[in-house]
Amino acid sequence: MSYKNKFTAHTQLKMSPFFERTSKLNESQEWRRWAGYLAATSYELTHENEYFAIRTKAGLLDITPLKKYIVKGPESQRLLDQLVTRNIAICKVGQVMYTPWCDEHGKVIDDGTVQRLSENKFRITSAEPNLEWIQSNAVGMDVIVKDDSFTTAALALQGPNSRAILNSISSKTLDSLKFFWMMETTFDNIPVSISRTGYTGDLGYEIWMNPNDALTVWDLLIDKGKPFGITPTGLHALDVARIEAGLILLDVDYISSRHAIIESRKSSPYELGLGWTVKMKKANFIGKSSLLKELDRGSRWSYVGVEIEWTEFEKHYRDVGLAPGLPHTAWRTSTPLYFQNEQVGYATSGTWSPLLKRYIALAHLKSKYAKEGSELMFELKVEHFRKLTKATVVKTPFFDPERKRSCPK
Amino acid sequence: MNNYDIIIIGAGINGLTTASILGKKGKRVLVLESREKVGGMASSMEFAPGFKCNVINDTIKWIDPRLIKLLDLNAKGLELVQPEILRIILGENSEHIAFHKDVAKTIDSIAKYSIIDSERWKDFISYIEKLSQFLEKIYELTPPILPKIGIKEILGMRSMLSPIRKHGTRGIVDLLRVAPMMMPELVDEWFENELLRSSISTAGIHHLSFGPYAAGTGYNLLHQHVHGNGLFHNIQFAKGGTERFAIVLKDYAESFNVEIQTSTKVISINTDQNVCNGISLENGEQIMAKQIVSSLDPNNTFLNLVGPSNLTPNFRKQINNIRYRGSTARIHFALSSLPEVKGVTKEQMKTIFSISPSVEYLERASDAVKYGKLSDKPYVEFVIPSVLDSNFAPEGEHVLSATIQYAPYHLRNTEWSDSVKDQLKNNVVDTLQKVIPNIRSIIKHTSIISPLDLENEFGLTEGNLNHGEMTLDQFMFMRPTISSSQYRAPINNLYLCGSGTHPGGGLHGTNGYNAAMEVLKD
Amino acid sequence: MSKIKKYDAIVIGGGHNGLTAAAYLGRAGKKVLVLERRHVLGGAAVTEEIFPGFKFSVCSYVVSLMKSNVMRELMLPKFGLEILPLESTMTPLENDYLIRTADSDQTYREIARHSKKDAENYMRFGPAMGQIGMAVRPILETIAPNPIRPSFSDLSATKRLFDHVKSLSSKQFEYLTKLMTMSSADFLDEWFDYEPLKATLSASGIIGTFMGPYSPGSAYVMLHHYMGDIDGAFRAWGFQRGGTGGVSMAIARSAEYFGVEIMTETSVQNVIVKNGRATGVSLDNGDEYNSNIVISGLDPKLTFLKMIDKSDLPSDFVSAIKNFRIRGSSGKVNLALDALPNFTCMSGDGHHLRGAISISPSYDHLEKAYDDAKYGNFSEAPFMDIILPSVLDPDMAPPGKHVMSCFVQYAPYDINEGWNDQKREAFGDAVINTISRYAPNIKDIILHRQVLTPADLESTFGLTEGNIFHGELTLQQLFSLRPAVKWADYTTPIKNYFQCGSGTHPGGGITGSPGEMAAKKILGAW
Ligand SMILES: Cc1cc2nc3c(=O)[nH]c(=O)nc-3n(C[C@H](O)[C@H](O)[C@H](O)COP(=O)(O)OP(=O)(O)OC[C@H]3O[C@@H](n4cnc5c(N)ncnc54)[C@H](O)[C@@H]3O)c2cc1C
């Protein structure tokens, strides 16, 4: 099933149609597995430049490993409304919705976007394979569910200059394309669809295309993007950006309820800070009755942003004669959070925000301790010894620029 | 008019049982039946001019004694006759063993072939009776919700104490040992004569898609012998045909103002937010009720009537995983004269016959199911109802109703068609010919009912006569699924009372009885 | 001639369970003697150099079920236990193949090539089975209580198990019930569509049993094969360096380290019983050895019907043991090869040869093989589980040469007309012909072949009817019913006579479990 790359690395992993370019650009030759694909961790020897490209210029990411499914047919909207927590009935053609989907106990299976391609055709993107789940719920409905993962290649172009770059290539202007909407256009006669979505919390777009056009589109973007500072960007930089944007990551921040093995590993949308996506007015959807009950009795857990307070943090290091030891990249090791002497939660992702100059993390907390402003203790290892240092619950997104949603006047 | 307390879907024995009990308790009950007659699997038909047959079941093995008592069935006109000879097992030549109501005679019959076996017979039947007594008690229970059982559930099972007191924990151990057995294991422990061994094995494979070498046939054998009163192969005939049972129940229910509408097909069970509130009919009419009880099998109830999108994914999966695999067919022959069964007199014909020369014969017949074929040499059971009741055939003429295993619903590389049915008939006639040499020359008409016909005519998914196979993984708290074995669907106000629930198939009414008790609890 | 020396315990049979029991008793300071009939130790877990330079795990060939606490407590790694991982399972097909490896991405992708739905479900299947395996573990590790006249400890064990079962989730309980009762085919049909995948998974449900994939009860056998773990990873199979006999030898050395005496080529004739009490054993050559207790590591038929005079046993017990089902259904073909087999579907050397190769293209293939056996013939086209030990451990064969181990089903013990040399060779030919459908060069590279029928397993290894598990793993022969009710806790109706072979709870395979639990039971009452 692999694309016919000229690159002949001896690997059993999948290579995306962009691999022929990305493999040569990858100066660090650092790769990570993403859904069975080889995906660049960072192209340069450190990821800083790529991170700043996202925030100040434009980062170009190969997001082909995302799972993509097409649902079409007269009952496709009904199926999706059954499946996901958001109200797909009000999703207009050309609109995109971010949504989680749950099992019948209201525990999240995965999260992703639903794009309404036409009245009766949708594309779903997700982190993990979901075909079996979607298909099994489509039984008896007049729909066709198709795995589009290998038939659609995708790039993300994220950052303040992304619109300008696309405008310089696209046959149609993107000026009026609103946040979480999409459009069809062409690049040099190559049809592509562009959605104003992304995983960075910045102005940004995702470009969906036929894999056969992948290299041409890549070359066009790199070429036309040069004056705007387009930068191939790897997953390290993306991780920092998505934490700043307060966006969760499957298998890092939560575990799919289909793979969780034990109950305590599962989370409801409320427990992941996704309560806003649960539309209780909708007739029925998988997990609704359990979620109604949860709403009624309150969720045990909450998902929040945490900021590790600088002064005390710095002091711990100063005490042993060191400069503050900031994490070099975003981390993903579960880290305990305490209230007084009791562990009341754990952070699942964290990073130093180079832009905000704050040490931030995303954390599961028992709801009682999750109020904004709650003061907690964050576990820290300083020179091999565990310390507790002050941390505060803060609002997410940590970083939320105006440009993310605005359109040029 | 839409002010029923309860709607019951399906007027088979279980639907009518539930209706009768609830009607008697003063509920306003409506029963809806798609066929033009009540009875379901307890129906008769005229399959050729002047020739009548019991469409599916010729005999009644046992009726729930609680039902007999509660409804006083005997007084209401249900006359059950236990024949002198309960069954005759025919070998390939004219050898046969007759199982009599009188055990001493059975022993004589066995002794013709094996003295040792005849000496063990009494021990064997009391062993089976002992085990069946445990099952009898289990059958009267609503299965507990497992594995989370508490004191309440344990107390609920205290009726199990009486057989334990009688037989000790050894009885339970024996039950646990025999239920998972395959037939050769059981018979190896007891008997040497092949005809006897195979005759016992036939009880293990009754209406199953498996052969005697399948583990768990021990359980099916015991199921056939619940309330067997210590008789092996115990049967009863209902005077006037099996459908009398249904008619008596119908009359009874109607005497309590239960409304029974036939030729009325329910096309959906309506739910809203997981609450069941009524049903819709084919003609578009909707009828509301507080409680809905379905006697259809789980597939029909949930996938066809409730609809897959109204089920939770896990439950839907469980329902999809229920195994039906009907592999029993029926053939009714109109005969111009009395068939001559080798070595059997006319007087002895008021019984049920089975042709099973050896356990291996049965097993070979069952192999066909695995490969989606008809058995070349099927296992055939037959009854001549016209010797029991002269109304079944014109004067001097007769009816032979055969039950055939194995004729699988799922055929490979072909589908049920007239030519497949013809082939089935030929295989059956060939088999019958060995014991009724003149059979070919006396056949006037034939009516072949394939598993597909059973599905189409009686709404039996895949033609399974038990609404789901009688295997250990679909037993008790697993029947129909672990989440719905208390006669309650996981949808509020929807109940189940058909053979797809505990304790499974047969014309005994236990499912309907237990379900009625649960409906009344809420 | 009778010897004066008296032992605390004599173990009959130097199979791995007998050795395990001996080692535990030695470790507790008892004076123990092990008597083995053959010239080598290990019983069905044995390595022998059958042809010069070619070493074979003659019977059992892969290890997974061995209990990790036994490995630690008997310090087996110190005495030579070295288990190498088997990396993959390949199912060759006529024009294609299915391969599953330790890497989940690769396995996902490979299965998705055939069915995406199956690939997704497969990712959930392993953990689900692991969960069930975990749920069953405490049951396997409990000495089976006596339900007939329960003692206090039987009751408390029952209560503990009851509480354990109550703690399972509804889903676990549902799967458990299904696994205990269903056919492996029906169970797998609930998960998967792709026939070669289902057939290969179902094959664990038929190994060592006289059942086909469509036979109810086979799902339990499948579960039995899922209960092993290596380093905490469920369902991982490994290969003992130097062959399976290395496991037995490690246990034997451990036993010796704990002071156990071991004698080979010493066949026990019977157990000496005086006043309902075992006092020693007498050998085929007439020698007698005395001891306080005697432990049999043989199967239940030999343990009771051969070792003990019938008149010393209660008659209902004798009939229970007679009724104990022990039909053999497996054979083994060991090949010495000049080169590696070349599989048409995946030619040349590669990862696939470092794992198991399963001849299980479809349910039909397996079921037809079973049908043959059911009616008294060996399978014309058998199921096989093949490994190439020399690829994992070059010491198994001379440089450049190879050994191939083929576990074969079905070969019924009760074959029509009985087993003879001609039948054995015909069976061997059926095996080679079947392999050659997938690896055509096989016939050209065979230097030597050893064919073992169930009759050979019986005569050489003392496995009654050639049953590899000392008794079938059917529901009614498990736990408190293995080998017979009341006597499932390693005791026997004879005082001071105990049993510790695979015919006791929790059953067969290289587990060390019956040996360990028997020793613990014995020591508990000492
Ligand atoms: C062909 C085959 C393949 C197998 N494959 C596997 C596998 O891959 N993985 C796995 O885990 N399991 C496998 N098994 C099963 C496993 O090998 C056995 O279940 C296990 O080895 C049995 O061990 P045991 O100690 O209980 O009995 P045994 O190994 O049978 O030990 C009994 C011992 O007693 C000795 N003995 C017999 N009679 C006398 C006497 N009168 N006096 C003295 N000694 C006597 C025998 O020689 C033998 O050494 C296989 C078995 C076979 C036969």
Side-chain angles (χ1 to χ4, degrees), chain A residues 78 82 104 132-133 136-137 139 283, chain B residues 273 308-309 312-317:
Chain A
R78 197 178 140 227
Q82 179 91 354
E104 60 209 82
E132 194 265 337
W133 179 252
S136 69
N137 282 294
V139 174
Chain B
Q273 311 273 345
S309 56
T312 62
N314 183 41
F315 184 63
R316 188 173 58 225
K317 188 157 256 167

Side-chain angles (χ1 to χ4, degrees), chain B residues 326-340:
Chain B
S327 37
T328 305
R330 288 274 282 173
I331 302 186
H332 302 287
F333 295 99
L335 305 177
S336 57
S337 68
L338 185 67
E340 290 157 21

Side-chain angles (χ1 to χ4, degrees), chain C residues 13 15-17 36-37 43-44 60-62 268 298 468 470 502 509-510:
Chain C
H16 87 286
N17 276 315
E36 167 59 42
R37 189 173 57 113
S60 52
Y61 50 103
V62 285
V268 176
L298 317 185
I468 74 165
H470 288 195
S502 298
I510 306 173

Side-chain angles (χ1 to χ4, degrees), chain A residues 13 33 35-36, chain C residues 99-112 119 122-123:
Chain A
L13 294 172
R33 280 197 200 187
Chain C
I99 189 162
R100 290 172 289 134
T101 66
D103 184 76
S104 65
D105 273 343
Q106 197 176 32
T107 303
Y108 172 83
R109 183 179 175 188
E110 165 65 8
I111 299 176
Y122 189 78
M123 297 298 125

Side-chain angles (χ1 to χ4, degrees), chain C residues 11-20 34-46 57-66 207-208 224-225 237-238 244 248 263 266-270 283-284 297-299 302 306-307 330-333 385 387 405-408 452 457-458 460-463 466-470 500-504 507-512 514-515:
Chain C
V11 176
I12 310 172
H16 87 286
N17 276 315
L19 292 168
T20 302
V34 178
L35 300 173
E36 167 59 42
R37 189 173 57 113
R38 297 193 68 214
H39 62 286
V40 278
L41 292 170
V46 69
S57 301
V58 183
C59 294
S60 52
Y61 50 103
V62 285
V63 187
S64 139
L65 308 166
M66 188 71 198
I207 286 188
H224 186 84
H225 285 95
W237 287 90
T244 313
S248 307
M263 291 167 67
T266 313
S267 178
V268 176
Q269 175 72 38
N270 62 269
L283 305 184
D284 284 0
L298 317 185
D299 68 45
L302 295 177
K306 173 166 190 301
M307 288 293 142
S330 326
K332 184 85 193 288
V333 173
D385 193 27
I387 65 166
S405 149
C406 314
F407 178 84
V408 191
L452 293 170
L457 294 175
E458 180 176 73
T460 310
F461 300 95
L463 298 164
N467 186 291
I468 74 165
F469 292 146
H470 288 195
C500 73
S502 298
T504 58
I510 306 173
T511 65

Side-chain angles (χ1 to χ4, degrees), chain B residues 148 185 363 367 370 412, chain C residues 168 364 367 374-375 476:
Chain B
K148 309 273 177 261
E185 290 176 331
E363 180 67 15
D367 284 342
K370 301 186 296 194
R412 270 200 217 168
Chain C
L168 301 180
D364 272 12
E367 188 68 22
K374 206 162 62 168
Y375 303 121
Q476 68 274 22

